Amino acid sequence: TPGEEYKRKVRTLTGNYQIFIMFKDLLVPFKSPVAIPILSHKLGRVLAPFFMITMLIANILIAKKDFYASALICQIVFYMLAILGGITYKDYRKRALTRVASTIYMFCLLNFTALAGFYRFIFDKQDIAWEK
């Protein structure tokens, strides 16, 4: 379920932030054979929501130009579909629009978990014990 996935991903993404701090050499391509996959997947995964927020704010600020106004409208529609997907998630098999909205909802939910994981990491809110 989305709630279970949220809890699981927040826990694992909080751990990713801890890994970045504790094992800095893993991020250096000349020192670590796994640096490129970690930078592209793990670091990219936790930075994506920050880029999404930055793009939304930037488009709001420069929406006076036609292209950016169109981009802002697309972003607003995207996030409205995410809200619709959250509301209709259990009915995702019924209609094509609901299936698309549910997919967008899960994408946004998983990116939100990276923000929640960052919050837990910064404010040391992560429980040590794993909850099944």
Side-chain angles (χ1 to χ4, degrees), residues 43-126:
L43 187 61
R45 171 75 187 89
V46 297
L47 292 178
F50 296 102
F51 292 137
M52 292 170 66
I53 291 168
T54 301
M55 286 189 325
L56 182 61
I57 291 169
N59 269 338
I60 289 169
L61 296 174
I62 59 176
K64 293 176 183 166
K65 298 188 179 192
D66 290 340
F67 174 77
Y68 298 109
S70 299
L72 179 60
I73 290 168
C74 289
Q75 284 178 298
I76 291 169
V77 168
F78 179 82
Y79 292 119
M80 288 175 66
L81 283 170
I83 292 168
L84 175 66
I87 294 168
T88 62
Y89 183 77
K90 291 182 180 182
D91 301 325
Y92 73 95
R93 292 188 182 120
K94 292 185 178 177
R95 296 191 181 110
L97 176 64
T98 307
R99 285 195 304 265
V100 169
S102 294
T103 302
I104 294 170
Y105 165 67
M106 287 304 294
F107 174 80
C108 290
L109 177 67
L110 293 177
N111 278 288
F112 182 75
T113 62
L115 294 175
F118 183 71
Y119 173 83
R120 283 191 184 177
F121 171 71
I122 292 295
F123 295 105
D124 200 24
K125 299 282 187 186
Q126 181 65 28

Side-chain angles (χ1 to χ4, degrees), residues 1-18 41-42 45-46 106 109-118 120 126-127 129-132:
T1 66
E4 292 167 339
E5 184 68 4
Y6 172 81
K7 285 172 40 176
R8 183 183 75 81
K9 291 299 282 183
V10 168
R11 180 179 51 81
T12 59
L13 290 170
T14 302
N16 285 351
Y17 291 110
Q18 293 167 345
H41 181 70
K42 297 241 182 252
R45 171 75 187 89
V46 297
M106 287 304 294
L109 177 67
L110 293 177
N111 278 288
F112 182 75
T113 62
L115 294 175
F118 183 71
R120 283 191 184 177
Q126 181 65 28
D127 292 333
W130 178 60
E131 185 179 317
K132 189 173 181 180

